[in-house]
Amino acid sequence: MTLNKATLDLKVGDTETLIATVIPEDAEDKTVTFTSSDESIAKVTPKQGKVEALAEGNTTIIGTTSNGLIVECEVVVTAAE
């Protein structure tokens, strides 16, 4: 499995959607569930992968498939200008 981004640099209030590609293409279950290691910095919608930057800091968005494959995206959030 891969993500369309390995890192995200966001400002507070920004949003970005992560897209997971599950391999092989004929996998039975391509469901990916997203979580944030620190939801006070950035939260993510579990099924859609939409990341919302909430506060300055660093966090990791983790995508997990039903069979346990994991991908990560490092997120750095800075102050809005």
Side-chain angles (χ1 to χ4, degrees):
M1 175 172 59
T2 60
L3 284 176
N4 62 324
K5 306 259 182 165
T7 61
L8 286 177
D9 292 312
L10 302 174
K11 296 191 183 309
V12 173
D14 285 354
T15 61
E16 179 95 24
T17 301
L18 294 173
I19 300 169
T21 302
V22 178
I23 302 168
E25 288 196 21
D26 62 350
E28 278 187 36
D29 187 353
K30 292 188 175 192
T31 303
V32 177
T33 303
F34 293 96
T35 57
S36 174
S37 65
D38 188 340
E39 290 199 345
S40 68
I41 303 294
K43 67 180 181 178
V44 62
T45 56
K47 299 295 181 197
Q48 293 81 18
K50 182 178 178 182
V51 179
E52 181 180 358
L54 301 175
E56 290 181 66
N58 298 349
T59 188
T60 303
I61 303 300
I62 303 156
T64 308
T65 63
S66 59
N67 64 353
L69 293 176
I70 294 174
V71 291
E72 296 182 352
C73 176
E74 298 300 319
V75 180
V76 177
V77 180
T78 56
E81 295 179 10

